[in-house]
Amino acid sequence: MRKTVAYAISNISQFKKAALQWAQQFDEVTWLDSNKHASNYSSFDTLLAVDGLTAFVTDAANAFEDFKEYQATTKDWLFGYLSYDLKNDVECLFSDNYDGLLFPELYFYQPKKIIRIIGNTAEFIYLNMVDDEIQEDFDTINSIKLIEDKKENSKDIKIRLRIFKDEYFRKVNKMLQYIQRGDIYEANFCQEFYAEDTEINPLRVYNKLNIISKAPFATYLKVQDKYVLSASPERYIKKEGSKLISQPIKGTAKRSKDEKKDNDLKNRLSLDEKERAENIMIVDLVRNDLSKSATKGSVRVQELCKVFSFEQVHQMISTITAEIPKEKNIVEVLKETFPMGSMTGAPKVSAMEIIEELESFKRGVYSGAVGYITPEQDFDFNVIIRSILYNATQKYVSYAVGGAITAKAIPEKEYEECLLKAKAMRQVLEST
């Protein structure tokens, strides 16, 4: 079905920039970049998929069953996203909050052309129908003159808040009442920042965001007029053979340019009882989700509350693994674990109901997942956080941030954490 040709690349950094620039001619583009973050679960440095031969697009109704049929019929590489609001297919829930972005709930496509970069090698993995274009495309990418990143003459982007500070405090306090009453232990409460009647250059914005953040699950996704520009630090779930890996994040601390202060901030995060409690609650939830698919007794916590440092923040990350039976359908695995625990809460269904009541926007792709499925039935998906979403037709730009609310949450501190998480996106948009 596909032909693979490998090339040694002398300047991999320049080749990557040129390849992403070359990809802009296509209606479907998925760019997944690890930014050289090595881990035990890495499969590549960068993966690019363009030009859909077939596509599957749907709303939440019966989405996973219909997607299962498409995936089984295609039996090929698939790239795309799962929006948070597929929760309505998983459970008896609904989404009635304001939606300025209007993304479909689920979108996957079968790309004609894939470029996988590992080290200094670029593998061109093309469908047989276009394999005669491999050499031409390689030569074209190598001959591209990179566009200089200079500020365009455009009007200032006016970023607005969907809810203001006082309302944020009121809603968090309402969530705390639900916690004190015993309805939930923890819930992820998010707020939206947005700009209307706004046009951006998505590639420029992504490149600037990526330079600032250098995230391990960075994503540039384009499907027609809709874009996801992501600096995600978080993996939702990966399947490698019979093994599942989930790496939820809960716990955030700012960074300092002073090395001593930075180490102190990192150590304080690792010992913070509230942050550890948040993380452990979500680890328990993820263990429960994985157990639905896993072979009995195979769910393991490999790392608990380990602190990792990124360009903007320190993050507390846990790693949970499981083994699944050979006959287990991979789309069922996604359905049984979605949405990810780090963006919902515990108990999961009650948390999602309260989130829908108190939040003021439809999450859509935010806190959903972007990723891929291979012909060998493996997959890998990130969590769409630290991301800018853009609908070019609607001229609507959005980014959202949130945090876990537990019994120990202090609304003022939660609000400060939101602003810390929003810093990179705001900085990028205001300098565009």
Side-chain angles (χ1 to χ4, degrees):
M1 183 181 259
R2 290 185 181 268
K3 179 179 179 180
T4 301
V5 178
Y7 297 92
I9 309 297
S10 57
N11 186 336
I12 202 69
S13 177
Q14 181 155 330
F15 181 84
K16 282 173 60 175
K17 291 175 186 173
L20 185 52
Q21 193 169 305
W22 165 82
Q24 300 309 304
Q25 65 188 291
F26 301 104
D27 286 334
E28 301 92 5
V29 180
T30 306
W31 171 267
L32 306 171
D33 192 357
S34 69
N35 281 302
K36 297 182 179 178
H37 285 268
S39 84
N40 296 332
Y41 305 110
S42 298
S43 299
F44 56 82
D45 294 324
T46 307
L47 195 59
L48 172 63
V50 300
D51 198 10
L53 174 66
T54 65
F56 178 71
V57 189
T58 187
D59 60 15
N62 210 45
F64 282 102
E65 282 302 311
D66 292 343
F67 180 47
K68 187 194 295 187
E69 187 178 330
Y70 172 70
Q71 191 273 328
T73 304
T74 310
K75 296 177 182 174
D76 191 20
W77 286 87
L78 299 176
F79 288 76
Y81 69 79
L82 307 164
S83 82
Y84 170 80
D85 297 278
L86 290 171
K87 66 183 174 62
N88 305 334
D89 185 39
V90 177
E91 304 289 349
C92 186
L93 298 169
F94 60 90
S95 299
D96 276 347
N97 289 327
Y98 178 76
D99 180 12
L101 285 161
L102 305 175
F103 279 59
E105 310 291 22
L106 182 151
Y107 193 115
F108 277 83
Y109 66 96
Q110 175 192 12
K112 294 178 187 174
K113 304 178 179 185
I114 299 169
I115 300 173
R116 179 169 56 197
I117 298 170
I118 302 174
N120 292 318
T121 300
E123 298 173 334
F124 284 60
I125 308 167
Y126 279 32
L127 284 172
N128 292 340
M129 63 188 294
V130 292
D131 64 11
D132 59 338
E133 298 175 23
I134 290 176
Q135 187 63 49
E136 180 186 349
D137 287 348
F138 175 71
D139 292 340
T140 300
I141 291 169
N142 276 321
S143 66
I144 282 176
K145 290 183 178 178
L146 296 174
I147 298 169
E148 283 187 42
D149 188 20
K150 52 188 179 184
K151 184 162 181 173
E152 298 166 351
N153 293 322
S154 59
K155 62 182 181 180
D156 291 339
I157 294 177
K158 294 178 181 175
I159 297 168
R160 300 178 179 179
L161 289 74
R162 182 65 54 196
I163 58 173
F164 292 101
K165 195 173 182 178
D166 289 348
E167 191 174 359
Y168 175 88
F169 291 159
R170 183 178 63 77
K171 287 174 178 286
V172 170
N173 281 318
K174 178 70 173 174
M175 193 167 273
L176 286 168
Q177 288 175 24
Y178 281 121
I179 292 169
Q180 287 153 8
R181 203 170 74 181
D183 295 328
I184 51 170
Y185 305 110
E186 175 178 352
N188 193 284
F189 179 64
C190 302
Q191 59 177 314
E192 182 192 26
F193 298 78
Y194 68 98
E196 295 174 303
D197 193 24
T198 298
E199 295 182 39
I200 62 172
N201 180 324
L203 180 58
R204 247 187 104 253
V205 169
Y206 167 78
N207 284 333
K208 288 176 78 71
L209 183 62
N210 196 47
I211 287 167
I212 290 172
S213 302
K214 296 184 178 67
F217 298 99
T219 299
Y220 176 98
L221 176 81
K222 171 189 177 186
V223 285
Q224 280 81 42
D225 61 341
K226 299 172 183 69
Y227 298 83
V228 178
L229 317 171
S230 178
S232 175
E234 183 172 359
R235 170 179 276 128
Y236 153 43
I237 193 168
K238 178 173 185 172
K239 178 181 176 288
E240 198 170 62
S242 63
K243 189 173 191 175
L244 295 179
I245 304 108
S246 184
Q247 296 181 291
I249 290 178
K250 269 290 162 275
T252 304
K254 64 182 180 180
R255 299 209 59 180
S256 172
K257 291 179 181 178
D258 181 282
E259 188 177 351
K260 188 176 181 302
K261 285 182 182 176
D262 195 53
N263 284 329
D264 185 50
L265 289 164
K266 184 177 180 178
N267 291 333
R268 272 194 279 171
L269 175 60
S270 69
L271 299 171
D272 190 302
E273 286 185 18
K274 173 186 172 290
E275 303 284 13
R276 289 182 68 87
E278 287 178 11
N279 195 294
I280 290 166
M281 279 187 210
I282 298 307
V283 167
D284 284 342
L285 192 155
V286 171
R287 288 172 62 207
N288 182 64
D289 282 350
L290 292 182
S291 70
K292 297 172 190 173
S293 301
T295 305
K296 191 174 181 180
S298 70
V299 179
R300 296 277 185 275
V301 179
Q302 303 292 350
E303 289 180 331
L304 184 64
C305 299
K306 185 172 179 180
V307 176
F308 292 81
S309 299
F310 300 97
E311 296 293 312
Q312 301 283 319
V313 291
H314 299 295
Q315 300 275 199
M316 189 179 283
I317 305 176
S318 293
T319 300
I320 307 101
T321 63
E323 297 287 328
I324 59 171
K326 282 186 179 179
E327 66 275 12
K328 183 69 181 180
N329 184 278
I330 58 172
V331 177
E332 286 179 5
V333 173
L334 294 172
K335 184 177 182 180
E336 287 168 354
T337 57
F338 195 82
M340 62 291 300
S342 61
M343 296 307 295
T344 52
K348 197 172 186 180
V349 175
S350 297
M352 289 190 289
E353 289 173 341
I354 291 167
I355 286 166
E356 176 65 25
E357 175 196 334
L358 295 177
E359 288 184 353
S360 301
F361 72 109
K362 181 181 177 182
R363 288 191 184 182
V365 180
Y366 170 71
S367 76
V370 170
Y372 65 89
I373 297 172
T374 74
E376 295 76 33
Q377 307 292 297
D378 287 339
F379 57 69
D380 200 2
F381 288 88
N382 68 6
V383 179
I384 292 300
I385 52 176
R386 320 291 158 82
S387 304
I388 295 167
L389 306 179
Y390 177 48
N391 184 322
T393 301
Q394 298 295 321
K395 297 183 180 180
Y396 189 90
V397 179
S398 170
Y399 61 91
V401 290
I405 308 302
T406 64
K408 293 184 178 180
I410 299 168
E412 289 79 7
K413 287 190 176 180
E414 296 298 331
Y415 192 77
E416 285 173 15
E417 185 177 311
C418 283
L419 296 182
L420 174 63
K421 291 173 178 175
K423 183 182 175 184
M425 282 96 72
R426 185 169 200 123
Q427 185 178 333
V428 165
L429 288 172
E430 289 183 340
S431 66
T432 298

Coordinates of all heavy atoms in Angstrom, one line a residue, residues 130-178:
V130 N 1.0 7.8 -5.2 CA 1.8 9.0 -5.3 C 3.3 8.7 -5.1 O 4.1 9.7 -4.9 CB 1.3 10.1 -4.4 CG1 -0.1 10.6 -4.8 CG2 1.3 9.6 -2.9
D131 N 3.7 7.5 -5.1 CA 5.1 7.2 -4.7 C 6.1 7.7 -5.8 O 7.3 7.9 -5.5 CB 5.4 5.7 -4.4 CG 5.1 4.8 -5.6 OD1 5.0 5.3 -6.8 OD2 5.1 3.6 -5.4
D132 N 5.6 8.0 -7.0 CA 6.5 8.6 -8.0 C 6.8 10.1 -7.7 O 7.7 10.7 -8.4 CB 5.9 8.5 -9.4 CG 4.5 9.2 -9.5 OD1 3.9 9.4 -8.5 OD2 4.1 9.5 -10.6
E133 N 6.2 10.7 -6.6 CA 6.4 12.1 -6.3 C 7.4 12.2 -5.1 O 7.8 13.3 -4.7 CB 5.1 12.7 -5.9 CG 4.1 12.7 -7.1 CD 2.7 13.3 -6.6 OE1 2.7 14.0 -5.6 OE2 1.7 13.0 -7.3
I134 N 8.0 11.1 -4.6 CA 8.8 11.2 -3.5 C 10.1 12.0 -3.7 O 10.4 12.9 -3.0 CB 9.2 9.7 -3.0 CG1 8.0 9.0 -2.4 CG2 10.4 9.8 -1.9 CD1 8.3 7.6 -1.9
Q135 N 10.8 11.7 -4.8 CA 12.0 12.4 -5.1 C 11.8 13.8 -5.4 O 12.5 14.7 -4.9 CB 12.8 11.7 -6.3 CG 14.2 12.3 -6.6 CD 15.1 12.1 -5.4 OE1 15.3 10.9 -4.9 NE2 15.8 13.1 -5.0
E136 N 10.7 14.1 -6.1 CA 10.4 15.5 -6.5 C 10.1 16.3 -5.2 O 10.5 17.4 -5.1 CB 9.2 15.5 -7.4 CG 8.8 16.9 -7.8 CD 7.5 16.9 -8.7 OE1 7.0 15.8 -9.1 OE2 6.9 18.0 -8.9
D137 N 9.3 15.7 -4.3 CA 9.0 16.4 -3.1 C 10.2 16.6 -2.2 O 10.4 17.7 -1.6 CB 7.9 15.6 -2.3 CG 6.5 15.7 -2.9 OD1 6.3 16.5 -3.8 OD2 5.6 14.9 -2.5
F138 N 11.1 15.6 -2.1 CA 12.3 15.8 -1.3 C 13.2 16.9 -1.9 O 13.7 17.7 -1.1 CB 13.1 14.5 -1.4 CG 14.4 14.5 -0.7 CD1 14.6 14.7 0.7 CD2 15.6 14.5 -1.5 CE1 15.8 14.7 1.3 CE2 16.9 14.6 -0.8 CZ 17.0 14.7 0.5
D139 N 13.3 17.0 -3.2 CA 14.1 18.0 -3.9 C 13.4 19.4 -3.6 O 14.1 20.4 -3.4 CB 14.2 17.7 -5.4 CG 15.1 16.5 -5.7 OD1 15.8 16.1 -4.8 OD2 14.9 16.0 -6.8
T140 N 12.1 19.4 -3.7 CA 11.4 20.7 -3.5 C 11.6 21.2 -2.1 O 11.9 22.4 -1.9 CB 9.9 20.5 -3.8 OG1 9.7 20.1 -5.1 CG2 9.1 21.8 -3.5
I141 N 11.5 20.3 -1.1 CA 11.7 20.7 0.3 C 13.1 21.3 0.5 O 13.3 22.3 1.2 CB 11.4 19.6 1.3 CG1 9.9 19.2 1.2 CG2 11.8 19.9 2.7 CD1 9.5 17.9 1.9
N142 N 14.0 20.6 -0.1 CA 15.4 21.0 0.1 C 15.7 22.3 -0.6 O 16.7 23.0 -0.2 CB 16.4 19.9 -0.5 CG 16.7 18.9 0.6 OD1 16.8 19.2 1.7 ND2 16.7 17.6 0.1
S143 N 14.9 22.7 -1.6 CA 15.2 23.9 -2.3 C 14.4 25.1 -1.8 O 14.5 26.3 -2.3 CB 14.9 23.7 -3.8 OG 13.5 23.5 -4.0
I144 N 13.5 24.9 -0.8 CA 12.7 26.0 -0.3 C 13.5 27.0 0.4 O 14.4 26.7 1.2 CB 11.6 25.4 0.7 CG1 10.5 24.7 -0.1 CG2 11.0 26.5 1.6 CD1 9.4 24.1 0.7
K145 N 13.2 28.3 0.1 CA 13.8 29.4 0.8 C 12.9 29.7 1.9 O 11.7 30.1 1.7 CB 14.0 30.6 -0.1 CG 15.1 30.4 -1.2 CD 15.3 31.6 -2.0 CE 16.4 31.4 -3.1 NZ 16.6 32.6 -3.9
L146 N 13.4 29.6 3.1 CA 12.5 29.8 4.3 C 12.1 31.3 4.4 O 12.8 32.2 4.1 CB 13.3 29.5 5.6 CG 13.7 28.0 5.7 CD1 14.6 27.8 6.9 CD2 12.5 27.1 5.8
I147 N 10.8 31.4 4.7 CA 10.2 32.8 4.9 C 10.7 33.4 6.1 O 10.7 32.8 7.2 CB 8.6 32.7 4.9 CG1 8.1 32.1 3.6 CG2 8.0 34.0 5.2 CD1 6.6 31.7 3.6
E148 N 11.2 34.6 6.0 CA 11.7 35.3 7.2 C 10.6 35.6 8.2 O 9.5 36.0 7.8 CB 12.4 36.6 6.8 CG 13.8 36.4 6.3 CD 14.5 37.8 6.0 OE1 14.4 38.6 6.9 OE2 15.1 37.9 5.0
D149 N 10.8 35.4 9.5 CA 9.8 35.7 10.5 C 9.9 37.1 10.9 O 10.5 37.5 11.9 CB 10.1 34.7 11.7 CG 8.9 34.8 12.7 OD1 7.8 35.2 12.3 OD2 9.1 34.4 13.8
K150 N 9.1 38.0 10.2 CA 9.1 39.4 10.6 C 7.6 39.8 10.8 O 6.7 39.3 10.1 CB 9.8 40.3 9.5 CG 9.3 40.1 8.1 CD 10.2 40.9 7.2 CE 9.7 40.6 5.7 NZ 10.6 41.3 4.8
K151 N 7.4 40.7 11.7 CA 6.1 41.1 12.0 C 5.4 41.7 10.8 O 5.9 42.5 10.1 CB 6.1 42.2 13.2 CG 4.7 42.6 13.6 CD 4.8 43.2 15.0 CE 3.4 43.6 15.4 NZ 3.3 44.0 16.8
E152 N 4.1 41.2 10.6 CA 3.3 41.7 9.5 C 2.6 43.0 10.0 O 2.3 43.2 11.1 CB 2.3 40.6 9.1 CG 3.0 39.3 8.6 CD 2.1 38.2 8.5 OE1 0.9 38.3 9.0 OE2 2.4 37.1 8.0
N153 N 2.2 43.8 9.0 CA 1.4 44.9 9.3 C -0.1 44.5 9.4 O -0.8 44.4 8.5 CB 1.5 46.0 8.2 CG 2.9 46.5 8.1 OD1 3.6 46.8 9.1 ND2 3.4 46.8 6.9
S154 N -0.5 44.3 10.6 CA -1.9 43.9 10.9 C -2.3 44.6 12.2 O -1.5 45.1 13.0 CB -2.0 42.4 11.1 OG -1.2 42.0 12.2
K155 N -3.6 44.7 12.3 CA -4.2 45.4 13.5 C -3.9 44.6 14.7 O -3.8 43.4 14.7 CB -5.7 45.7 13.3 CG -6.5 44.5 13.2 CD -8.0 44.9 12.9 CE -8.9 43.6 12.8 NZ -10.3 44.0 12.6
D156 N -3.8 45.3 15.8 CA -3.6 44.6 17.1 C -4.7 43.6 17.4 O -5.9 43.9 17.2 CB -3.4 45.6 18.3 CG -2.2 46.5 18.1 OD1 -1.2 46.0 17.4 OD2 -2.2 47.6 18.7
I157 N -4.3 42.5 18.0 CA -5.3 41.5 18.4 C -5.8 41.9 19.7 O -5.1 42.0 20.7 CB -4.7 40.1 18.4 CG1 -4.3 39.7 16.9 CG2 -5.6 39.1 19.0 CD1 -3.6 38.4 16.8
K158 N -7.2 42.0 19.8 CA -7.8 42.4 21.1 C -8.3 41.1 21.8 O -9.3 40.6 21.4 CB -8.9 43.4 20.8 CG -8.4 44.7 20.3 CD -9.6 45.7 20.0 CE -9.0 47.0 19.5 NZ -10.1 47.9 19.0
I159 N -7.6 40.7 22.7 CA -7.9 39.4 23.4 C -9.0 39.7 24.5 O -8.7 40.7 25.4 CB -6.7 38.8 24.0 CG1 -5.8 38.3 22.9 CG2 -7.1 37.5 24.9 CD1 -4.4 37.9 23.3
R160 N -10.0 39.0 24.5 CA -11.1 39.2 25.5 C -11.2 38.0 26.4 O -10.8 36.9 26.1 CB -12.4 39.5 24.8 CG -12.4 40.7 23.9 CD -13.7 40.9 23.2 NE -13.7 42.1 22.4 CZ -14.8 42.4 21.7 NH1 -15.9 41.7 21.6 NH2 -14.7 43.5 20.9
L161 N -11.8 38.2 27.6 CA -12.1 37.1 28.5 C -13.6 36.7 28.4 O -14.5 37.5 28.5 CB -11.8 37.5 30.0 CG -10.3 37.7 30.4 CD1 -9.8 39.0 29.8 CD2 -10.2 37.7 31.9
R162 N -13.8 35.4 28.4 CA -15.2 34.9 28.3 C -15.9 35.1 29.7 O -17.1 35.4 29.7 CB -15.2 33.4 28.0 CG -16.5 32.8 27.8 CD -17.4 33.3 26.7 NE -16.7 33.2 25.4 CZ -17.1 33.9 24.4 NH1 -18.2 34.7 24.5 NH2 -16.5 33.8 23.2
I163 N -15.1 35.0 30.8 CA -15.6 35.4 32.1 C -14.5 36.3 32.8 O -13.3 36.1 32.5 CB -15.9 34.2 33.0 CG1 -14.7 33.3 33.2 CG2 -17.1 33.4 32.5 CD1 -14.9 32.2 34.2
F164 N -15.0 37.2 33.6 CA -14.0 38.1 34.3 C -13.7 37.5 35.6 O -14.2 36.5 36.1 CB -14.6 39.5 34.4 CG -14.8 40.2 33.1 CD1 -16.0 40.3 32.4 CD2 -13.7 40.8 32.5 CE1 -16.1 40.9 31.2 CE2 -13.8 41.4 31.3 CZ -15.0 41.5 30.6
K165 N -12.7 38.1 36.3 CA -12.1 37.6 37.5 C -13.1 37.3 38.6 O -13.1 36.2 39.2 CB -11.1 38.6 38.0 CG -10.1 38.1 39.0 CD -9.0 39.1 39.3 CE -8.0 38.6 40.3 NZ -6.9 39.6 40.5
D166 N -14.0 38.2 38.8 CA -15.0 38.1 39.9 C -15.9 36.8 39.6 O -16.3 36.1 40.5 CB -15.9 39.3 40.1 CG -15.1 40.5 40.7 OD1 -14.0 40.2 41.2 OD2 -15.6 41.6 40.7
E167 N -16.3 36.7 38.3 CA -17.1 35.6 38.0 C -16.3 34.3 38.1 O -16.9 33.2 38.5 CB -17.7 35.7 36.5 CG -18.8 34.7 36.2 CD -19.4 34.9 34.8 OE1 -19.0 35.9 34.2 OE2 -20.3 34.1 34.5
Y168 N -15.1 34.3 37.7 CA -14.2 33.1 37.9 C -14.2 32.7 39.4 O -14.4 31.5 39.7 CB -12.8 33.4 37.4 CG -11.8 32.3 37.7 CD1 -11.6 31.3 36.7 CD2 -11.1 32.2 38.9 CE1 -10.8 30.2 37.0 CE2 -10.2 31.2 39.1 CZ -10.0 30.2 38.2 OH -9.2 29.1 38.4
F169 N -14.0 33.6 40.3 CA -14.0 33.3 41.7 C -15.4 32.7 42.1 O -15.4 31.8 42.9 CB -13.7 34.6 42.6 CG -12.3 35.1 42.4 CD1 -12.0 36.4 42.7 CD2 -11.3 34.2 42.0 CE1 -10.7 36.8 42.6 CE2 -10.0 34.7 41.8 CZ -9.7 36.0 42.2
R170 N -16.5 33.3 41.6 CA -17.8 32.8 42.0 C -18.0 31.4 41.6 O -18.5 30.6 42.3 CB -18.9 33.8 41.4 CG -20.3 33.4 41.8 CD -21.3 34.4 41.2 NE -21.3 34.3 39.7 CZ -21.9 33.4 39.0 NH1 -22.5 32.3 39.6 NH2 -21.9 33.4 37.7
K171 N -17.6 31.1 40.3 CA -17.7 29.7 39.8 C -16.8 28.7 40.5 O -17.3 27.6 40.8 CB -17.5 29.7 38.3 CG -18.6 30.4 37.5 CD -18.2 30.5 36.0 CE -19.3 31.2 35.2 NZ -20.5 30.3 35.0
V172 N -15.6 29.1 40.8 CA -14.7 28.2 41.6 C -15.3 27.9 43.0 O -15.3 26.8 43.5 CB -13.3 28.8 41.7 CG1 -12.5 27.9 42.7 CG2 -12.7 28.7 40.3
N173 N -15.9 29.0 43.6 CA -16.5 28.8 44.9 C -17.7 27.9 44.8 O -17.9 27.0 45.7 CB -16.9 30.1 45.5 CG -15.7 30.8 46.1 OD1 -14.8 30.2 46.8 ND2 -15.6 32.1 45.9
K174 N -18.4 28.0 43.8 CA -19.6 27.0 43.5 C -19.1 25.6 43.4 O -19.6 24.7 43.9 CB -20.3 27.5 42.3 CG -21.5 26.6 41.9 CD -22.7 26.7 42.9 CE -23.9 25.9 42.5 NZ -25.0 25.9 43.5
M175 N -18.0 25.4 42.7 CA -17.4 24.1 42.5 C -16.9 23.6 43.9 O -17.0 22.4 44.2 CB -16.2 24.2 41.5 CG -15.7 22.8 41.0 SD -14.6 23.0 39.6 CE -15.8 22.9 38.3
L176 N -16.3 24.5 44.7 CA -15.9 24.0 46.0 C -17.1 23.6 46.9 O -17.0 22.7 47.7 CB -15.2 25.2 46.7 CG -13.7 25.5 46.2 CD1 -13.2 26.8 46.7 CD2 -12.8 24.3 46.6
Q177 N -18.2 24.2 46.7 CA -19.5 23.7 47.4 C -19.8 22.3 47.0 O -20.2 21.5 47.8 CB -20.6 24.7 47.1 CG -20.5 26.1 47.7 CD -21.6 27.0 47.3 OE1 -22.7 26.6 46.9 NE2 -21.4 28.3 47.4
Y178 N -19.7 22.0 45.7 CA -20.0 20.7 45.2 C -19.0 19.7 45.8 O -19.4 18.5 46.2 CB -19.9 20.6 43.7 CG -21.1 21.1 42.9 CD1 -21.0 22.2 42.0 CD2 -22.3 20.6 43.1 CE1 -22.1 22.7 41.3 CE2 -23.5 21.1 42.4 CZ -23.3 22.1 41.6 OH -24.4 22.6 40.9

